Coordinates of all heavy atoms in Angstrom, one line a residue:
A959 N 30.9 17.4 31.1 CA 30.1 18.3 30.3 C 30.0 19.7 31.0 O 30.1 20.7 30.3 CB 28.7 17.7 30.2
Q960 N 29.9 19.7 32.3 CA 29.8 21.0 33.0 C 31.1 21.7 32.9 O 31.1 23.0 32.6 CB 29.5 20.8 34.5 CG 29.2 22.1 35.2 CD 28.8 22.0 36.6 OE1 29.3 21.0 37.3 NE2 28.0 22.9 37.1
R961 N 32.2 21.0 33.1 CA 33.5 21.7 32.9 C 33.7 22.3 31.6 O 34.4 23.3 31.4 CB 34.6 20.6 33.1 CG 35.3 20.7 34.5 CD 36.7 20.1 34.5 NE 37.0 18.9 33.7 CZ 36.8 17.7 34.1 NH1 36.3 17.5 35.3 NH2 37.1 16.7 33.3
T962 N 33.0 21.8 30.6 CA 33.2 22.2 29.2 C 32.2 23.3 28.8 O 32.2 23.6 27.6 CB 33.2 21.0 28.2 OG1 33.3 19.8 29.0 CG2 34.2 21.1 27.2
G963 N 31.4 23.7 29.7 CA 30.4 24.8 29.4 C 29.1 24.4 28.8 O 28.4 25.2 28.3
Y964 N 28.7 23.1 28.9 CA 27.4 22.7 28.5 C 26.4 23.1 29.6 O 26.7 23.1 30.8 CB 27.3 21.1 28.3 CG 28.1 20.7 27.0 CD1 29.5 20.8 27.0 CD2 27.4 20.3 25.9 CE1 30.1 20.4 25.8 CE2 28.0 20.0 24.7 CZ 29.4 20.0 24.7 OH 30.1 19.7 23.5
D965 N 25.2 23.5 29.1 CA 24.2 24.0 30.1 C 23.5 22.9 30.8 O 22.9 23.1 31.9 CB 23.2 24.9 29.3 CG 23.9 26.0 28.6 OD1 24.5 26.8 29.3 OD2 23.8 26.1 27.4
F966 N 23.3 21.8 30.2 CA 22.6 20.7 30.8 C 23.1 19.3 30.3 O 23.7 19.3 29.2 CB 21.1 20.8 30.6 CG 20.6 20.6 29.2 CD1 20.1 19.4 28.8 CD2 20.6 21.6 28.3 CE1 19.6 19.1 27.5 CE2 20.1 21.4 27.0 CZ 19.6 20.1 26.6
V967 N 22.7 18.3 31.0 CA 22.9 16.9 30.5 C 21.6 16.3 30.4 O 20.7 16.5 31.3 CB 23.9 16.1 31.3 CG1 25.3 16.5 31.1 CG2 23.5 16.1 32.8
D968 N 21.4 15.4 29.4 CA 20.2 14.6 29.3 C 20.5 13.2 29.7 O 21.4 12.6 29.2 CB 19.8 14.7 27.8 CG 18.8 13.6 27.4 OD1 18.2 13.0 28.2 OD2 18.7 13.4 26.1
V969 N 19.8 12.8 30.8 CA 20.0 11.4 31.2 C 19.0 10.6 30.4 O 17.8 10.6 30.6 CB 19.7 11.3 32.7 CG1 19.9 9.8 33.2 CG2 20.7 12.2 33.5
K970 N 19.5 10.0 29.3 CA 18.7 9.4 28.2 C 18.0 8.2 28.7 O 18.5 7.2 29.1 CB 19.7 9.1 27.1 CG 18.9 8.5 25.9 CD 19.9 8.2 24.7 CE 19.2 7.8 23.5 NZ 20.1 7.6 22.4
C971 N 16.6 8.3 28.5 CA 15.8 7.1 28.8 C 14.9 6.8 27.6 O 13.7 6.7 27.8 CB 14.9 7.5 30.0 SG 15.7 7.8 31.6
C972 N 15.5 6.7 26.5 CA 14.6 6.4 25.3 C 15.2 5.4 24.4 O 16.3 4.9 24.5 CB 14.3 7.7 24.6 SG 15.8 8.6 24.0

Side-chain angles (χ1 to χ4, degrees):
Q960 185 176 35
R961 256 205 320 275
T962 342
Y964 286 72
D965 302 300
F966 71 95
V967 286
D968 163 17
V969 178
K970 179 178 187 177
C971 294
C972 58

